[in-house]
Every structure is written in structure tokens, then in C-alpha cells.
Amino acid sequence: MKMRNPPVNSLSLEFLTELLISLEKLENDKTFRGIIITSDCPGIFSAGLDLLEMYGRDPAHCAEYWKAVQELWLRVYLSNLVVIGAINGISPAGGCLLSLSCDYRVLANNPKYAIGLNETLLGIIAPFWFKDVLVNTIGHRAAERALQLGFLFPPSDALQVGIVDQVVPEDQVQSTARSVMAQWLAIPDHARQLTKNLVRKPTADRLLQQRDADIQNFVRFISRDSIQKSLHVYLEKLKQKKG
Ligand SMILES: CCCCCCCCCCC/C=C/C(=O)SCCNC(=O)CCNC(=O)[C@H](O)C(C)(C)COP(=O)(O)OP(=O)(O)OC[C@H]1O[C@@H](n2cnc3c(N)ncnc32)[C@H](O)[C@@H]1OP(=O)(O)O
């Protein structure tokens, strides 16, 4: 699955909906046993959640958006398919969450391709289920530092901390992802799927048990004047960077 939402593969409501529909189709087609998620935007896996879906929007829109974010996460995280991330670009915040929700992550060795939950750098916070997935992946202490400081790990650090499973030369990302897929597909589906569910269900259940409250918390938080100001400042910084 090649994500194509130029210029930066931001996860807008429309794009999230497209991804959800595509994933659902693949899940329902029994001829598919695995997917490789990668990007069609040069140098960018995904710029994460679309800031314009959270800035200057009314509460109803924010609630609809957050529901779609939850939905995509649950679908990828709990997918019965083998999901491999072929991460061929930078993947901050929501892009990192998408990567972390794969079963295996292969990152291209380019110092620009940083990965991490950088929410604090925007003056916002990673929701508890983003945090849970990071803690599950790199452990409590490393996650505690990474989340508070908004670390974006370059490939060598990403491998060391375990946020990705493999770092390979850029021209080998897709072929490596395909070899890894072959290894994972050698396992009988029912055994692998039940095991995946056993490991991941408790984390997903934490959100499933309080989805509506999570949406309300998000809407309250994102609608605060101080948070809207932080988003404004960050968006302006992105604009000014262009010069
Ligand atoms: C009680 C508590 C309850 C809890 C409540 C939870 C609270 C909120 C949780 C929110 C979680 C948020 C998760 C996220 O994912 S936030 C997004 C994080 N993403 C980033 O920080 C990345 C920002 N982008 C960049 O750094 C660069 O754009 C990038 C390195 C990706 C690419 O750089 P490049 O130079 O190639 O391109 P530009 O910067 O010029 O960007 C091109 C245009 O795209 C726009 N853009 C970029 N990123 C985003 C984005 N994420 N959303 C929307 N738009 C984006 C950028 O502004 C440029 O636009 P223009 O061409 O119009 O200027």
C-alpha cells in the first residue's frame, strides 16, 4: 500500500477515510495475507496528523476527525494481515504511530528520516494510546524521555532504541520488507493471528473501553485557546522555514 497524499502524506480526514476503505477491502479479500505500507512522497513517510484538521475547526469536526484517527489505528494495530512498514521517509507523531502499529518496521538509512512522537515540540501531547504503543515498543524509561523531549530519532538511534526493527540502505527498503514478509507468511495464519491478538488486545481494549471519552478529551484539549495558539505558532514556523 503506497500512501499518496502530497506534499507530505498528512493524515487528513479524507486521506484517513481512503486508507480505512483500502484496508477494509484488503482484509475482506481472503487472497491477501499481508500488506507492506510505504510512501509515494519522496523523503516523507507521513507528516502525521493533519494539523489543519485540528486548527481553527469547530468541535463537531474535531470529534469526527478524532474518531477517524482512532478507527485507523485500531484497524492497523489489530489487523489480521501481516503488516510491514517500509519506512522511506520522515515519520513524526501520527506517522510514527502508524509505523509503530505495523508488525515489523524497516527504515531507510537516511539521517533525514527521523521517527518519533514529537507532539511536545508542537505544544501538544501524545494521547495515552500513542504513549502505550511506544512504551510497548521501546520500554518505559526510553519512552518517558522520548515523549517528554519529543525525540525524533535518526535511523541509527531509532534502531538502537528499538523503535524500528531494521535499518537498511534506501534502495533496499522495499526488497527487505518483502523478504521479511516472506518470513512472517511462513507461519500459519491462525496461529500468528491469535498470538498477535493475545499480545495487542489489552492495549487496544484500553481505548475501546473509553472511545467516546477519548474523543471528548481530545475535543476539549484541542479547542483550548492556548493549544490553538501553539498550533498557530507551529504552522507559522513551517511556513517561515520555506523562507
Ligand atoms: C487531557 C488530554 C487529552 C489528550 C488529547 C490529545 C491531544 C492532541 C493529540 C494530537 C496528536 C498529534 C499527532 C500529530 O501527528 S501532529 C503532526 C506532527 N507532524 C509534524 O510535526 C510534522 C510537521 N511537518 C514537517 O516537519 C515538515 O513539513 C516535513 C519534514 C514533514 C516535510 O518538510 P518539507 O520541507 O518537505 O515540506 P514543508 O514543511 O514545506 O511542508 C509542505 C506543506 O505541508 C504542510 N504540512 C506539513 N506537515 C503538515 C501536517 N502535519 N499537517 C498539515 N500540513 C502539514 C506545510 O505547512 C506546507 O504547507 P504549505 O505548502 O501550505 O506552506
Side-chain angles (χ1 to χ4, degrees), residues 64-95:
E64 186 189 6
Y65 181 59
W66 200 246
K67 197 173 176 196
V69 175
Q70 291 178 338
E71 199 68 46
L72 183 74
W73 175 64
L74 289 166
R75 188 158 284 278
V76 177
Y77 191 67
L78 294 177
S79 177
N80 270 332
L81 301 168
V82 175
V83 185
I84 310 278
I87 309 166
N88 51 349
I90 186 165
S91 54

Side-chain angles (χ1 to χ4, degrees), residues 85 87 99-107 137 162-166:
I87 309 166
S99 307
L100 288 171
S101 306
C102 298
D103 296 305
Y104 193 94
R105 288 163 284 289
V106 182
L107 174 62
T137 309
I163 201 165
V164 297
D165 299 296
Q166 214 174 330

Side-chain angles (χ1 to χ4, degrees), residues 157-219:
D157 295 352
L159 184 63
Q160 198 177 14
V161 76
I163 201 165
V164 297
D165 299 296
Q166 214 174 330
V167 171
V168 300
E170 202 155 353
D171 60 355
Q172 291 171 26
V173 174
Q174 309 300 334
S175 58
T176 306
R178 281 196 295 273
S179 318
V180 171
M181 179 62 82
Q183 284 168 18
W184 282 64
L185 291 182
I187 308 296
D189 276 340
H190 66 282
R192 185 193 51 73
Q193 288 164 353
L194 286 169
T195 305
K196 177 170 178 175
N197 199 265
L198 193 67
V199 175
R200 293 195 166 194
K201 196 168 174 295
T203 302
D205 278 349
R206 289 235 302 147
L207 176 62
L208 286 167
Q209 281 153 11
Q210 48 183 315
R211 272 188 83 166
D212 288 343
D214 183 64
I215 292 173
Q216 281 166 27
N217 285 338
F218 169 77
V219 173

Side-chain angles (χ1 to χ4, degrees), residues 7-8 10 44 46-52 54 66 90 92-95 118-119 122 124-128 130 214 217-218 221-222 224 234-235 238-239 241-242:
V8 293
S10 62
I44 299 162
S46 165
L49 302 192
D50 194 313
L51 296 165
L52 301 176
M54 304 186 266
W66 200 246
I90 186 165
N118 64 329
E119 279 82 350
L122 285 73
I124 56 180
I125 62 174
F128 73 88
F130 286 45
D214 183 64
N217 285 338
F218 169 77
F221 178 84
I222 215 70
R224 284 186 201 165
Y234 193 74
L235 282 163
L238 285 177
K239 266 195 202 137
K241 195 186 66 174
K242 281 182 162 171

